[in-house]
Amino acid sequence: MNTSKFIDLPELLSARGNVRLPGSKSVSNRVLLLAALADGNTVIHDLLESDDTARMREALCQLGVEITPLDGGAWRVKGVGGVFPVKRANLFLGNAGTAFRSLTAALALGGGDYRLSGVARMHERPIGDLVDALRQLGAEIAYLGEDGYPPLAICPAAIRAGGVVRIRGDVSSQFLSGLLLALPLTGVETAVELVGELISRPYVEITLAMMARFGVRVERQGGQRFVVPAGSAYRSPEIVQVEGDASSASYFLALGAIGGGPLRVDGVGENSLQGDVRFADALAQMGARVTMGPDWIEAGAPESGALRGIELDCNAIPDAAMTLAAAALFADGPTTLKNIASWRVKETDRIAAMTTELRKLGATVEAGEDWLRVTPPAVLVSPPQGIDTHDDHRLAMCFSLAARGVPVRINDPACVGKTFSEYFARFAEVARTVPVIAIDGPSASGKGTVAAQVAAALGWHYLDSGAIYRLTALAAQRAGIAWDDEAGVAKIAAELNAQFVGDSIRLAGEEVGDAIRYEAISAGASRVAALPEVRRALLFRQRLFRRAPGLVADGRDMASVVFSDAQTQVFLTASVEVRAQRRYKQLIEKGITANIPLLSQDLRERDLRDSQRGTAPLRQSEGAYLLDTTNLSIAQAVALVLTWSKAVR
Ligand code: DC
């Protein structure tokens, strides 16, 4: 699992390939509960392993259900035949809405003393409509915090099943699903009547299909009434295969549409139970080329090149609709998503969070209580502080798509573990990133000259990373901050107002190309570069140089840290004597006085400091070509780097 504070995604040139999807969260949590309640043992294949399903598994184990991992990733659940053996438990359900809602219903109708709680956000997510419905059946449920919200206390009660239960379905479909899943525990015929509109109806279809798989057929009477027949009881179908997650598929399908494709997801298709497969239709409406088989879907770029902005009622695809908002960054006009009020009560207020984060990328975003309109910017901008994910897995996955236009930093990427812990690994497998030639080496080895010429020959961008450390040293000096004041210099680095335009290097608008080459600043650069906080503050700034069609970057840690995935890595060096002579010539040409023995001495000291420091020391990385230029001309060195880079292009 990725536990770092952020992940930096390089700009993508294209995306294509195949992705095998993880199991569906909605199906997995329903199957776990049904298998637990059923008569008999169930072997479950391709069950999703994620935070939400882990919460469900843990809760069921606490309730006395035996769940055993088998070889090959399958699980065996020993059903309890409708009655949980443990009658008193304190269950923590994290932020797993599906687990919380369905267990509330099953425990309230099952009888026993239970406490159900979750993370702070779970306690802000409503559950009142479900509690009201369960109380109609005699359930004893108390709110332990605010009325209408978890945490809950459930007490044993005389359940009066039968008759009609009314339930609202306009805040979350999980209330109706939870109630339906629990009603067979009563054994009595009960009718459920919906009050008002039902949102996210396809999720109720998953519930009904899974109940049928476990032997209970709910009778539908029109769209608003469901009857659970008398004598219903869950029986294990023995083996259940969980299909791939259709919401997880949406990110890759959108990636195929904006990244050329073809990108194919395996595990969901025409035969899927999940409503979110209809995301494929929405993408096709935006112009993407979409094809579908029984258990796969493939997406590619529109014939015309660009996606079209659309206006869409997203009631049936609430989760995947978020992906449309991200894909909308690449459309030729505004995209309006309507009927998405449920976004407000999910892992975070998704309308608010999407608005904030899309704006950081330069998009114009308008939003109301239940709608969102995204107008793409002419040019995407990448926020230096990164995209915040608001503890919402879907935000993290959605914003990875922005990398098709710009390098992007995603904060707290580990939140994808809620449903798809391997997301960024799968993403990297299908994404073709902007290529990098990383040239590292000691001071005055000539790597700057070679790197700039290689970049010019290829028509690629060029990053002189040493100049960024030099600018930081100069800016610190000007602000009166000592070069060893780590926090002070790191702040200067984070706020560095630097521009690189052609050959010109500017600090706060002032040309400083020569000023940063003075020996005093060279020494300062070497000092500030040894401070880990400073290096951290400058990391993403350097990565932002990696833009299409390619980047040649020179420095000390280009291959080891900043661009560790660089396709071509070169360690360029020369003897100290030759380097001192080169630096001498450079300085004299600029009218700066110099002396060779002093320069040699200085280079030796700097080499030592650069190679012995604790953070990102200068050294040849494993995959790097060694280029000793002591006896080579610049042209010869450039030709060699071009040859090496051609081998991987
Ligand atoms: O390459 P240069 O001489 O312009 O670099 C100036 C200083 O910055 C040098 O002492 C090492 C440091 N530096 C670094 O630590 N990491 C880089 N990627 C580039 C330079």
Side-chain angles (χ1 to χ4, degrees):
M1 193 169 76
N2 191 335
T3 53
S4 55
K5 291 202 193 83
F6 56 79
I7 186 169
D8 288 338
L9 302 176
E11 184 186 345
L12 309 185
L13 291 179
S14 61
R16 62 183 303 166
N18 279 45
V19 175
R20 170 111 224 135
L21 295 166
S24 153
K25 176 186 73 159
S26 307
V27 173
S28 292
N29 264 356
R30 284 166 175 79
V31 168
L32 275 173
L33 180 65
L34 290 168
L37 291 172
D39 234 347
N41 290 346
T42 308
V43 173
I44 309 174
H45 292 280
D46 289 337
L47 184 79
L48 172 65
E49 292 194 40
S50 72
D51 295 346
D52 276 15
T53 52
R55 293 299 85 74
M56 183 62 132
R57 268 195 291 114
E58 287 157 10
L60 292 171
C61 290
Q62 258 184 283
L63 292 166
V65 181
E66 262 178 55
I67 304 179
T68 327
L70 305 176
D71 288 346
W75 294 84
R76 184 177 43 239
V77 180
K78 195 169 167 199
V80 297
V83 185
F84 289 120
V86 175
K87 290 288 163 203
R88 234 187 145 79
N90 213 330
L91 305 177
F92 175 77
L93 297 163
N95 202 4
T98 47
F100 206 107
R101 276 71 181 255
S102 58
L103 279 170
T104 295
L107 294 173
L109 299 189
D113 257 309
Y114 304 104
R115 294 254 181 299
L116 281 74
S117 64
V119 297
R121 175 62 188 168
M122 193 70 232
H123 296 175
E124 294 169 359
R125 298 175 66 184
I127 196 159
D129 294 337
L130 176 60
V131 170
D132 290 348
L134 293 166
R135 283 177 174 165
Q136 292 168 48
L137 295 165
E140 292 267 357
I141 304 170
Y143 296 113
L144 297 174
E146 207 182 316
D147 268 10
Y149 297 87
L152 302 177
I154 293 173
C155 304
I159 298 300
R160 308 178 296 269
V164 178
V165 184
R166 293 194 170 76
I167 188 164
R168 284 179 49 168
D170 55 353
V171 171
S172 168
S173 66
Q174 287 176 12
F175 303 150
L176 174 61
S177 281
L179 180 64
L180 289 171
L181 285 164
L183 278 173
L185 301 183
T186 68
V188 181
E189 178 179 299
T190 309
V192 179
E193 278 184 9
L194 270 170
V195 180
E197 192 200 5
L198 174 64
I199 60 163
S200 318
R201 187 173 283 273
Y203 287 97
V204 175
E205 299 297 337
I206 300 178
T207 303
L208 298 177
M210 295 321 298
M211 288 172 74
R213 188 97 176 79
F214 281 80
V216 172
R217 292 197 178 276
V218 176
E219 192 188 321
R220 264 186 250 228
Q221 298 178 340
Q224 298 292 100
R225 195 176 151 96
F226 305 83
V227 178
V228 179
S232 294
Y234 291 126
R235 280 187 317 280
S236 169
E238 293 178 10
I239 295 175
V240 177
Q241 174 78 42
V242 176
E243 61 179 70
D245 194 287
S247 313
S248 299
S250 69
Y251 311 106
F252 293 104
L253 296 175
L255 191 59
I258 62 179
L263 218 163
R264 172 171 154 154
V265 292
D266 290 302
V268 289
E270 270 156 5
N271 294 346
S272 173
L273 291 175
Q274 300 163 77
D276 267 359
V277 288
R278 300 274 67 91
F279 169 82
D281 302 340
L283 206 56
Q285 226 178 305
M286 292 181 87
R289 272 175 298 162
V290 178
T291 42
M292 218 189 258
D295 61 355
W296 58 267
I297 311 175
E298 188 173 284
E303 305 276 358
S304 66
L307 290 174
R308 275 191 301 275
I310 56 167
E311 190 173 315
L312 192 73
D313 182 326
C314 298
N315 191 320
I317 53 166
D319 284 348
M322 286 174 78
T323 315
L324 293 174
L329 288 170
F330 300 92
D332 61 1
T335 289
T336 308
L337 307 178
K338 297 186 301 187
N339 213 351
I340 53 169
S342 67
W343 282 23
R344 297 226 180 253
V345 294
K346 296 289 172 119
E347 281 77 344
T348 182
D349 177 340
R350 287 177 166 168
I351 294 185
M354 270 295 191
T355 303
T356 306
E357 303 308 321
L358 286 165
R359 281 182 183 156
K360 285 187 186 168
L361 290 160
T364 303
V365 185
E366 301 149 85
E369 238 346 90
D370 67 346
W371 61 273
L372 183 82
R373 180 176 301 120
V374 183
T375 307
V379 182
L380 282 178
V381 289
S382 187
Q385 306 311 332
I387 294 291
D388 292 319
T389 44
H390 305 247
D391 205 12
D392 185 347
H393 55 138
R394 301 214 180 278
L395 256 102
M397 296 189 274
C398 278
F399 280 93
S400 65
L401 299 178
R404 176 62 183 102
V406 74
V408 59
R409 169 167 288 190
I410 308 273
N411 294 323
D412 184 22
C415 67
V416 298
K418 192 167 199 286
T419 49
F420 198 167
S421 51
E422 295 294 303
Y423 178 74
F424 288 107
R426 295 289 92 75
F427 183 90
E429 282 165 12
V430 292
R432 196 161 75 86
T433 53
V434 167
V436 178
I437 300 175
I439 305 182
D440 290 305
S443 292
S445 54
K447 62 189 183 316
T449 313
V450 172
Q453 291 199 12
V454 170
L458 294 170
W460 287 10
H461 300 279
Y462 167 52
L463 165 63
D464 170 3
S465 64
I468 293 183
Y469 288 95
R470 289 169 179 273
L471 281 165
T472 304
L474 180 64
Q477 187 187 56
R478 289 185 172 179
I481 308 273
W483 285 329
D484 57 0
D485 171 356
E486 182 161 6
V489 181
K491 188 161 183 291
I492 294 275
E495 293 164 2
L496 199 64
N497 178 4
Q499 292 95 32
F500 294 79
V501 188
D503 285 340
S504 136
I505 300 178
R506 294 184 204 145
L507 183 64
E510 184 198 335
E511 176 61 49
V512 292
D514 286 338
I516 59 168
R517 301 292 161 198
Y518 286 114
E519 285 306 290
I521 295 300
S522 299
S526 173
R527 279 178 200 287
V528 301
L531 307 173
E533 252 190 81
V534 172
R535 301 198 76 85
R536 256 196 305 278
L538 293 174
L539 185 59
F540 192 49
R541 185 183 288 272
Q542 296 172 75
R543 288 177 171 163
L544 284 172
F545 281 80
R546 185 175 186 176
R547 303 303 307 272
L551 174 69
V552 185
D554 85 62
R556 305 292 185 286
D557 62 343
M558 296 298 98
S560 60
V561 177
V562 183
F563 304 109
S564 52
D565 62 336
Q567 291 82 344
T568 310
Q569 308 185 352
V570 178
F571 190 78
L572 192 152
T573 187
S575 68
V576 171
E577 293 70 31
V578 167
R579 286 191 281 140
Q581 278 163 17
R582 287 178 188 162
R583 177 54 57 92
Y584 177 78
K585 205 164 148 240
Q586 235 175 22
L587 292 172
I588 295 298
E589 274 166 12
K590 288 193 172 135
I592 303 170
T593 47
N595 146 338
I596 292 189
L598 271 182
L599 283 174
S600 302
Q601 172 67 13
D602 198 52
L603 282 173
R604 279 200 185 87
E605 282 170 16
R606 215 147 8 117
D607 283 357
L608 203 66
R609 202 160 40 225
D610 291 347
S611 57
Q612 309 245 303
R613 66 184 178 215
T615 317
L618 170 68
R619 65 171 59 119
Q620 184 179 352
S621 64
E622 216 173 275
Y625 292 98
L626 177 64
L627 182 53
D628 186 337
T629 63
T630 306
N631 298 310
L632 290 184
S633 68
I634 294 169
Q636 286 171 317
V638 169
L640 270 172
V641 175
L642 286 172
T643 309
W644 290 330
S645 79
K646 215 180 271 164
V648 295
R649 270 183 290 131

